[in-house]
Amino acid sequence: MGMYPEYMVAPIREDLTSAGFEQLMTPEEVEQVLSENEGTVLVAVNSVCGCAAAKARPALKMAVASSDKRPDKLVTVFAGMEGEAVAKAREHMLPYPPSSPSIALFKNGELVHMIERYHIEGNDLTRIVDNLKGAFEDYC
């Protein structure tokens, strides 16, 4: 059981799933996706906070939609809801501390790019999109 009622987070989840992100609900799902050793995976740690709504989710959708190169898989976990799935994703994001929202790019099972909350709330939308597109260009 999460911190928020499902009816409240359903539209927030859909904001990313409607853009092609797969919602991972269990630690087993997270481990299966992040333990693959081929290809690229973009992980969005979604959140109910304002910077997720105003910056992180729009930046994710804009970067994915406008990039010539993009990750092979797009997945999301929801902070404050599926705690075990989020914890498993964060294990793969070490040494970065827990942060939500946050965005991680993995290549061949290794973390290669990380955008923490302070990179999101402290930047404008265009810079976050450019950051993601640059990472896609470098790693995808």
Side-chain angles (χ1 to χ4, degrees):
M1 181 84 178
M3 293 174 52
Y4 310 101
E6 184 59 34
Y7 73 85
M8 183 177 153
V9 300
I12 300 170
R13 289 185 200 279
E14 188 178 341
D15 196 17
L16 289 180
T17 60
S18 66
F21 284 77
E22 177 187 358
Q23 178 71 55
L24 303 179
M25 305 293 280
T26 67
E28 294 80 15
E29 290 174 341
V30 172
E31 188 60 32
Q32 181 179 6
V33 169
L34 293 183
S35 65
E36 293 177 8
N37 291 322
E38 284 192 29
T40 52
V41 180
L42 184 66
V43 180
V45 179
N46 203 351
S47 168
V48 298
C49 74
C51 65
K55 296 180 180 181
R57 290 192 302 273
L60 284 159
K61 294 185 299 184
M62 290 171 67
V64 168
S66 65
S67 295
D68 293 330
K69 293 184 176 183
R70 59 180 267 178
D72 299 314
K73 289 187 180 179
L74 307 171
V75 300
T76 183
V77 293
F78 205 111
M81 291 302 290
E82 294 76 38
E84 292 178 356
V86 173
K88 180 56 73 175
R90 286 177 171 159
E91 284 177 22
H92 288 270
M93 297 175 191
L94 291 172
Y96 294 95
S99 175
S100 51
S102 60
I103 304 164
L105 181 63
F106 294 84
K107 182 173 184 170
N108 300 330
E110 298 294 322
L111 178 63
V112 294
H113 191 76
M114 185 74 184
I115 300 175
E116 298 175 83
R117 179 187 178 105
Y118 78 90
H119 296 122
I120 295 166
E121 63 187 355
N123 269 313
D124 65 37
L125 185 59
T126 304
R127 285 189 178 159
I128 301 165
V129 172
D130 289 346
N131 182 322
L132 286 166
K133 288 173 75 171
F136 297 169
E137 187 66 32
D138 289 345
Y139 299 108
C140 297

